Amino acid sequence: MDLAIKLIVFLPLLAAFIAGFFGRAIGDRGAQVVTTGALLIAAALSWFVFFKVGFGEAGGTVRIATWISSGTFEVLWALRVDTLTAVMLIVVTTVSSMVHLYSVGYMAEDKSVPRFMSYLSLFTFAMLMLVTADNLVQLFFGWEGVGLASYLLIGFWYDRPSANKAAIKAFIVNRVGDFGFALGIFAIYMLTGSVQFDVIFKAAPDVAKMTFPFLGAEVPALTTTCLLLFVGAMGKSAQLGLHTWLPDAMEGPTPVSALIHAATMVTAGIFMVARCSPLFEYSQTALDVVTLVGAATAFFAATVGLTQFDIKRVVAYSTCSQLGYMFFALGVSAYPAGMFHLMTHAFFKALLFLGAGAVIHAMHHEQDMRHMGGLKDKIPQTYWLMWVGSLALAGIGIPEIGGHGIGFAGFYSKDSILESAFSAHSTVGMIAFWLGIAAAFMTAFYSARLMFLTFHGEARWNTGHGHDTHGHDAHADDGHGHGDDHGHGDHHLPVKVPAVMMVPLYVLALGAVIAGGVAYNVFVGEGMEKFWRGSVLILQEHHALHDSHHAPLWVKVLPLVMALSGIALAYRFYIQQPSLPARTAAAYPFLYRFSFNKWYFDELYDFLFVRPAMWLGRQLWKKGDVGIIDEVGPNGLARGAVRLAGILGRAQSGYLYHYAFAMLIGVAALVTWYLLSRGH
């Protein structure tokens, strides 16, 4: 099994190296074959490891080398494999392999196919390094690796200013979170003398009793450390406050959106908190903060998703909302439920993103749902597959049949989270439960809204609208070489989606249908304790997940009622009475603008941080650099040399007696100096 684990991690790196450095030699097809083949092999091996570890052996650690050795400080490069790792391996490699395969068709006409495939594989390698980390330093290496690769992928079309801005924004916002994460790692090392997980977790009960002085008060050390770690998770997983990079990341090609927002980068924060459960379990304050931030994010992102028109941004905000669900599951110590939702969400969210990409491809790279409609007969396979993803996202299912109900994957995992939040019987748990219920209603509404606007009603794609006249910023023209083909008339008719793009959709749809029902028992049911042994810690006093199985019937039924109500309301708005949305927006203009403008977070940050930073930068440039440093330094010295040269130049009169007189003065000065020095 050690060999399998090494291959899983290093095959994507090898493929990235070959495609990146030898792309011209092997060509587009060669790069696609190498990278996609490597990921398919890694995915197959990941499933082998998953069954071996989850249902057989307890896993272990595969040592690669000594990474850092300095005095008493030593960091090993080792691959830690337990159930938590195994779950992440199948999620990351399965979705990534499908994204690689999908990209063969989607990016076929791009000018830089080898570079794109290399970036995808590099991203996957960094994520695999993160989830197999045996210590915090290696985890941080993978953490920063996915940040770098996401920057490269979001800004892949670097000739577009909007893509460059989005890539820089993602990089900077994540640096804010990563600064907190790094401080948390430093604090752990100071408290425990180690960065190795087993040592840290063993010391957690003792660290929980420690405090340190800060501004005259004794601050609990473990709570502070956990909150710093959580700041890192907030940045990487786009939680409220550090979420603004996520929708802008849509500037990257659609396969990038699926990879970043479905299974990899945004789930890194969830994984990190679950991995550090032995720390968080001893700090109730940290758990409460995780719960409240997650619940607020779930609600906030759902409200924004109601009014967006870019098909990819709607799905992106749904990701942000679902990540909030995962976090408040972790906050009530229902780590298995949070990881369960991470796994199911990866399938149906990747399905939705790749389905959206198929729509964009068919529509000549149109992303505005207001210029779609009537597509269900043009691309019927995509239509039905996206309904599967939308119903899984909405959590449609029937509770309490066969012990744990029957439905789409999202039904099992989302209901487990909501029931756990209710069963926590705490104030923050109830806040999370009710915000989660409200978010469930809005999720169903905007999911159905996406389907109705895109596939139903009148065809709005042949009305002569150009890409430059849509009146909003949702159009990144997610294209690659099609910019001159977006004309009017017959050129704007939907085109057929290639088979190589449809195969991944069917694979992911299968996961969106069966993953919840198949995995329910081992993830959160009777087999939970055996399955998660040694991977996560849940203290005895934290029994929300256990009690969730005995939640009242109305708690189990309410999410379904809200989901069906949301779909019904969307049907009323967009099918029965299409004039209702405009009338509602006109009746509540402030609420509509508040939602459409994403709660004005971007404007607020622009006012508080961006403009002052730009002003400070200009002042340092104009007055500091140019006005002081250049004036006193290079420019000042240059002007002094010029003035001195001018003075000396005036002594060059051209008359011989002037030069003779100067020589006599010089001789007299030397004789005087000699006599004076002899006298002493």
Side-chain angles (χ1 to χ4, degrees):
M1 194 174 74
D2 289 1
L3 177 61
I5 294 164
K6 291 177 182 177
L7 288 173
I8 291 168
V9 174
F10 292 109
L11 274 176
L13 177 64
L14 178 62
F17 179 82
I18 294 172
F21 287 97
F22 303 101
R24 291 185 180 179
I26 62 178
D28 291 0
R29 183 63 70 205
Q32 291 166 341
V33 169
V34 167
T35 54
T36 307
L39 260 297
L40 288 170
I41 294 170
L45 291 172
S46 295
W47 282 98
F48 165 75
V49 170
F50 173 74
F51 285 109
K52 195 83 170 170
V53 173
F55 303 97
E57 302 171 11
T61 302
V62 180
R63 179 168 175 168
I64 305 296
T66 298
W67 190 5
I68 301 172
S69 182
S70 177
T72 59
F73 179 68
E74 185 175 77
V75 176
L76 297 178
W77 188 3
L79 308 178
R80 181 190 184 95
V81 183
D82 54 15
T83 307
L84 192 62
T85 302
V87 170
M88 292 301 295
L89 287 179
I90 61 167
V91 167
V92 172
T93 56
T94 302
V95 173
S96 183
S97 61
M98 292 300 102
V99 169
H100 276 72
L101 184 61
Y102 179 92
S103 299
V104 172
Y106 192 86
M107 301 295 289
E109 298 174 39
D110 196 88
K111 297 177 294 184
S112 305
V113 170
R115 179 165 64 91
F116 181 76
M117 302 305 289
S118 176
Y119 287 172
L120 285 183
S121 293
L122 179 65
F123 187 102
T124 307
F125 164 73
M127 191 66 195
L128 291 171
M129 283 296 296
L130 190 158
V131 301
T132 57
D134 188 49
N135 56 73
L136 284 168
V137 174
Q138 186 179 325
L139 190 147
F140 192 72
F141 168 77
W143 192 273
E144 294 302 304
V146 294
L148 168 65
S150 69
Y151 170 81
L152 296 173
L153 286 167
I154 294 168
F156 177 74
W157 289 315
Y158 55 82
D159 54 346
R160 289 183 355 205
S162 58
N164 291 329
K165 288 180 180 178
I168 292 170
K169 185 176 183 179
F171 199 76
I172 291 174
V173 173
N174 273 278
R175 294 294 74 70
V176 175
D178 293 352
F179 180 68
F181 187 38
L183 289 177
I185 295 174
F186 297 154
I188 285 176
Y189 181 71
M190 292 299 295
L191 292 168
T192 65
S194 177
V195 292
Q196 210 277 331
F197 284 135
D198 290 337
V199 176
I200 295 166
F201 298 159
K202 191 178 294 185
D206 296 327
V207 175
K209 303 170 187 175
M210 297 181 185
T211 60
F212 66 91
F214 182 73
L215 298 178
E218 287 296 320
V219 180
L222 187 62
T223 296
T224 305
T225 302
C226 289
L227 291 176
L228 287 170
L229 294 176
F230 181 58
V231 169
M234 286 177 65
K236 200 66 73 183
S237 296
Q239 293 301 281
L240 187 63
L242 294 177
H243 68 279
T244 52
W245 68 270
L246 189 92
D248 287 20
M250 297 299 103
E251 292 290 341
T254 298
V256 173
S257 304
L259 192 60
I260 290 178
H261 301 115
T264 52
M265 180 170 169
V266 293
T267 60
I270 310 293
F271 168 79
M272 187 268 287
V273 174
R275 171 63 79 206
C276 294
S277 59
L279 299 177
F280 281 84
E281 279 295 280
Y282 288 99
S283 174
Q284 189 59 48
T285 302
L287 288 176
D288 289 347
V289 170
V290 172
T291 305
L292 291 174
V293 170
T297 304
F299 180 82
F300 152 76
T303 63
V304 176
L306 297 173
T307 55
Q308 303 304 305
F309 289 105
D310 183 299
I311 187 171
K312 285 171 66 177
R313 285 179 185 251
V314 174
V315 185
Y317 275 107
S318 77
T319 298
C320 194
S321 183
Q322 298 306 304
L323 290 165
Y325 276 99
M326 297 175 209
F327 270 117
F328 76 70
L330 303 179
V332 297
S333 296
Y335 304 99
M339 292 302 298
F340 187 26
H341 196 51
L342 185 155
M343 187 269 290
T344 60
H345 171 264
F347 288 109
F348 60 75
K349 187 53 58 67
L351 171 62
L352 284 171
F353 265 117
L354 297 185
V359 171
I360 293 166
H361 177 88
M363 291 298 295
H364 303 276
H365 309 284
E366 172 66 80
Q367 293 181 214
D368 191 341
M369 296 186 295
R370 291 173 292 188
H371 302 119
M372 295 183 185
L375 289 175
K376 68 185 181 72
D377 295 327
K378 300 293 183 181
I379 45 175
Q381 294 181 68
T382 303
Y383 169 68
W384 289 111
L385 289 167
M386 285 196 71
W387 262 122
V388 170
S390 297
L391 293 175
L393 173 60
I396 300 300
I398 304 171
E400 291 301 320
I401 292 181
H404 55 262
I406 183 170
F408 290 92
F411 157 74
Y412 295 95
S413 54
K414 184 188 287 187
D415 279 25
S416 294
I417 290 173
L418 290 170
E419 290 161 16
S420 296
F422 177 85
S423 301
H425 300 302
S426 63
T427 302
V428 294
M430 290 308 295
I431 292 172
F433 173 75
W434 287 111
L435 287 177
I437 290 292
F441 171 78
M442 291 184 281
T443 299
F445 178 86
Y446 66 64
S447 298
R449 171 180 176 265
L450 182 151
M451 295 301 299
F452 294 145
L453 277 176
T454 304
F455 294 100
H456 290 262
E458 297 180 0
R460 300 179 297 277
W461 31 265
N462 202 14
T463 55
H465 288 283
H467 277 262
D468 298 324
T469 59
H470 296 157
H472 71 100
D473 64 352
H475 284 279
D477 176 22
D478 188 8
H480 23 270
H482 294 288
D484 299 326
D485 202 24
H486 295 172
H488 312 301
D490 292 340
H491 289 291
H492 210 59
L493 290 173
V495 298
K496 187 177 180 182
V497 180
V500 71
M501 291 171 61
M502 295 307 300
V503 171
L505 295 182
Y506 279 104
V507 173
L508 295 168
L510 180 65
V513 172
I514 69 170
V518 170
Y520 177 88
N521 186 59
V522 293
F523 271 76
V524 294
E526 295 175 359
M528 174 179 65
E529 291 185 6
K530 183 180 178 182
F531 183 73
W532 292 105
R533 64 195 182 281
S535 294
V536 295
L537 172 69
I538 304 176
L539 297 179
Q540 288 187 348
E541 57 264 33
H542 297 154
H543 39 70
L545 183 56
H546 180 269
D547 292 349
S548 68
H549 299 293
H550 310 292
L553 182 61
W554 68 268
V555 173
K556 296 177 180 292
V557 173
L558 186 58
L560 176 63
V561 172
M562 300 304 284
L564 293 175
S565 300
I567 294 173
L569 184 63
Y571 183 80
R572 175 78 170 168
F573 266 59
Y574 295 98
I575 299 297
Q576 290 184 330
Q577 292 191 9
S579 61
L580 263 179
R583 283 159 44 197
T584 305
Y588 304 98
F590 173 75
L591 289 176
Y592 175 76
R593 287 197 302 270
F594 193 65
S595 170
F596 185 74
N597 290 298
K598 302 161 287 210
W599 290 28
Y600 294 100
F601 267 101
D602 282 311
E603 289 79 2
L604 178 65
Y605 287 174
D606 187 63
F607 176 76
L608 291 177
F609 304 115
V610 178
R611 290 183 190 176
M614 295 295 286
W615 178 85
L616 180 62
R618 280 193 296 270
Q619 296 304 308
L620 292 173
W621 167 38
K622 291 290 188 181
K623 295 183 178 179
D625 192 9
V626 176
I628 298 175
I629 297 174
D630 283 355
E631 285 298 309
V632 175
N635 293 345
L637 290 173
R639 280 195 297 270
V642 169
R643 281 197 295 269
L644 180 61
I647 293 170
L648 294 174
R650 285 198 291 272
Q652 307 298 315
S653 63
Y655 294 108
L656 185 61
Y657 59 84
H658 286 170
Y659 300 150
F661 181 66
M663 291 171 65
L664 286 172
I665 292 174
V667 169
L670 284 171
V671 170
T672 303
W673 172 80
Y674 176 76
L675 292 173
L676 290 173
S677 61
R678 291 283 292 178
H680 288 289

